[in-house]
Amino acid sequence: MKYDFDRVISRKNTDCIKWDGAKILFGDEDIIPMWVADMDIPIAKPVSDAIRNRTEHEIYGYPVHSPVSVIEAVRNRMKDKYGWEIKPEWIVFTPGIVPALYAAVKAYTVPGDDVILQSPVYYPFSNAIRDNGCQIAGNQLTLADGRYEIDFDDLRSKFSLKTGRPPLPSRVRLMLLCNPHNPVGRVWTREELARMGEIVVGNGAVIVSDEVHSEILFNEVKHIPFAMLSEKFEQFSVTCVSPSKTFNLAGLGASAIIIPDGKLRARFHEAKRGIMPAINIFGLVAMEAAFRYGDEWLEQFIEYLHGNLEFLLEYFDNYIPKIKVIKPEGTYLVWLDCRELGMDPKKLKIFMTKKAKVGLDEGGLFGPGGEGFKRMNIACPRGMLGEALERIRHAVMSL
């Protein structure tokens, strides 16, 4: 079927955090909210049909923790998309990836350990580290000519012996990887992932890879799951996938965590025991339907999203050249370099919310390297995107 992504669907007064929460966050109900990562786009019909069919059964009791049909849907998705053969027992279901990150840090570290983080990066990563009593070992990404790169020399230094008498070994036990990277939009290449793995896994640390945006890619860029690169990397990896971003199902809280090594998997189960609920029945139904039957919708959405991105790139280039766009290779999030406006973070926030009346995520939330930047969600009808860009243009012209 043909989907109409230009159709604007009001989400006000539906208790959605993006719109109703924006009134509290930005203090203005006339804001166009383009901050949190969910779409203003209707979901795939096979998914809504599957949910509707499940509601017709009159009992909503506890679901099976590892339903066979959903496991097979995840396995088939990994094989069809990436050629990755995973075993059923490797899959652990969680009600979202952020809870899984917390469980992973708890499972593979002890308080006081260091965890590598590549900022600017999705801010719940740093929360998961600090809330578990660990410290961030920052491997800040470098920006040159509009493209972010990994500082491999700095990454290697995280495993150097600490100075002191006697020298102390590195306390890095874990790395939280974001691929595709939120918010800078990089999709790490095979060569970059291999160099990273040689350093991190080579020093005995585990890599937890958040790959939630892995199916939203531009210009024939290919996503490669880190765990696929070698058998050794696979055994030191935890891969987080979900239909939540790709198919706009974030409110259903359904994720699959792929942990090939039995010992790492047991530690993960132990870390989440008693504090993490199972996925609700509708999340399981939606995950299976999206992975099995969502590709027709996804192909149309990616084409539409690519049109949004090209529209935005041309608009900023022609009308708002003081704001530089970091062109993404993946995700529906766009990282905006606003430093030429010459504002400190507080003034920049006021400028965007009060003057432009567009709600964007603050760059500083994403850690070192994020100051002076904004994150914009472009997964919305093009008319809404155009109105937001017009508001920003008029605000910049008033300076």
Side-chain angles (χ1 to χ4, degrees):
M1 67 175 286
K2 177 67 176 176
Y3 290 93
D4 180 10
F5 296 125
D6 283 317
R7 181 166 61 99
V8 176
I9 301 173
S10 175
R11 300 179 65 191
K12 291 184 177 181
N13 302 313
T14 62
D15 294 324
C16 75
I17 190 172
K18 186 175 187 179
W19 286 84
D20 297 328
K23 298 176 186 178
I24 300 171
L25 182 64
F26 301 111
D28 190 338
E29 64 180 13
D30 294 326
I31 288 282
I32 298 178
M34 308 186 81
W35 59 295
V36 71
D38 74 8
M39 308 180 196
D40 291 306
I41 296 291
I43 68 173
K45 189 174 186 299
V47 179
S48 59
D49 286 347
I51 294 172
R52 191 175 296 109
N53 289 339
R54 182 61 183 85
T55 65
E56 292 179 359
H57 192 286
E58 298 180 68
I59 300 175
Y60 306 147
Y62 294 119
V64 174
H65 286 191
S66 298
V68 173
S69 61
V70 186
I71 287 175
E72 286 306 301
V74 174
R75 294 182 68 208
N76 291 339
R77 196 72 181 177
M78 295 300 104
K79 182 178 180 180
D80 293 345
K81 291 294 179 179
Y82 314 114
W84 188 19
E85 297 267 8
I86 65 175
K87 297 179 180 179
E89 62 268 23
W90 293 0
I91 299 171
V92 182
F93 291 111
T94 67
I97 287 179
V98 171
L101 295 176
Y102 272 78
V105 177
K106 181 181 177 184
Y108 308 129
T109 66
V110 296
D113 279 351
D114 293 339
V115 179
I116 295 174
L117 205 57
Q118 295 176 311
S119 67
V121 71
Y122 183 48
Y123 39 86
F125 280 32
S126 58
N127 295 339
I129 294 168
R130 294 193 182 103
D131 290 348
N132 277 289
C134 294
Q135 303 172 116
I136 294 172
N139 175 227
Q140 186 175 328
L141 301 176
T142 59
L143 176 61
D145 299 323
R147 181 181 172 87
Y148 279 88
E149 304 286 353
I150 298 169
D151 186 339
F152 287 103
D153 290 335
D154 178 73
L155 179 61
R156 192 174 291 106
S157 75
K158 303 307 172 188
F159 295 94
S160 301
L161 294 179
K162 306 295 183 182
T163 58
R165 296 183 180 177
L168 300 174
S170 165
R171 294 203 64 176
V172 174
R173 301 288 185 269
L174 185 65
M175 176 177 179
L176 298 186
L177 172 64
C178 197
N179 182 35
H181 194 283
N182 170 11
V184 309
R186 276 299 315 277
V187 179
W188 305 119
T189 65
R190 178 180 296 273
E191 291 73 23
E192 288 169 319
L193 292 171
R195 288 185 68 185
M196 185 189 308
E198 288 166 4
I199 296 169
V200 178
V201 174
N203 280 281
V206 174
I207 291 184
V208 175
S209 185
D210 176 1
E211 303 187 6
V212 70
H213 292 278
S214 60
E215 296 194 46
I216 303 176
L217 308 171
F218 300 114
N219 300 324
E220 299 185 2
V221 170
K222 302 296 183 184
H223 172 78
I224 302 169
F226 169 76
M228 281 189 62
L229 292 183
S230 75
E231 185 175 344
K232 182 175 181 180
F233 290 176
E234 187 178 76
Q235 295 305 306
F236 278 79
S237 71
V238 174
T239 304
C240 306
V241 299
S242 171
S244 62
K245 303 305 179 189
T246 305
F247 294 99
N248 198 25
L249 304 173
L252 292 176
S255 300
I257 314 304
I258 304 168
I259 313 176
D261 181 75
K263 292 181 180 178
L264 292 184
R265 195 164 58 250
R267 289 164 67 182
F268 185 86
H269 277 296
E270 179 63 28
K272 73 183 187 68
R273 181 174 293 122
I275 60 173
M276 188 183 296
I279 300 176
N280 70 78
I281 53 175
F282 298 109
L284 290 169
V285 166
M287 177 185 287
E288 180 173 0
F291 281 169
R292 289 190 187 277
Y293 312 116
D295 280 340
E296 181 184 45
W297 177 94
L298 181 58
E299 289 174 7
Q300 293 180 45
F301 170 67
I302 294 294
E303 182 180 357
Y304 187 85
L305 184 66
H306 189 262
N308 272 3
L309 177 60
E310 293 301 316
F311 173 70
L312 175 138
L313 290 168
E314 184 176 350
Y315 195 100
F316 273 103
D317 189 51
N318 290 334
Y319 302 112
I320 324 174
K322 280 193 172 183
I323 297 178
K324 302 293 189 294
V325 180
I326 308 302
K327 187 176 180 179
E329 298 170 339
T331 84
Y332 53 72
L333 306 165
V334 178
W335 194 230
L336 303 176
D337 185 348
C338 304
R339 291 176 295 179
E340 279 191 33
L341 297 180
M343 302 179 188
D344 63 38
K346 184 176 180 180
K347 287 183 178 179
L348 183 59
K349 179 178 181 179
I350 294 172
F351 174 77
M352 284 294 180
T353 56
K354 302 300 182 184
K355 191 73 175 178
K357 291 187 177 293
V358 177
L360 306 177
D361 259 334
E362 300 298 309
L365 292 173
F366 299 86
E371 301 83 359
F373 289 77
K374 292 280 188 176
R375 191 188 75 170
M376 173 182 274
N377 176 352
I378 64 169
C380 62
R382 197 157 300 150
M384 185 184 298
L385 175 60
E387 182 180 350
L389 295 176
E390 275 287 288
R391 291 186 181 192
I392 296 171
R393 180 176 73 89
H394 284 295
V396 172
M397 287 176 61
S398 73
L399 291 175

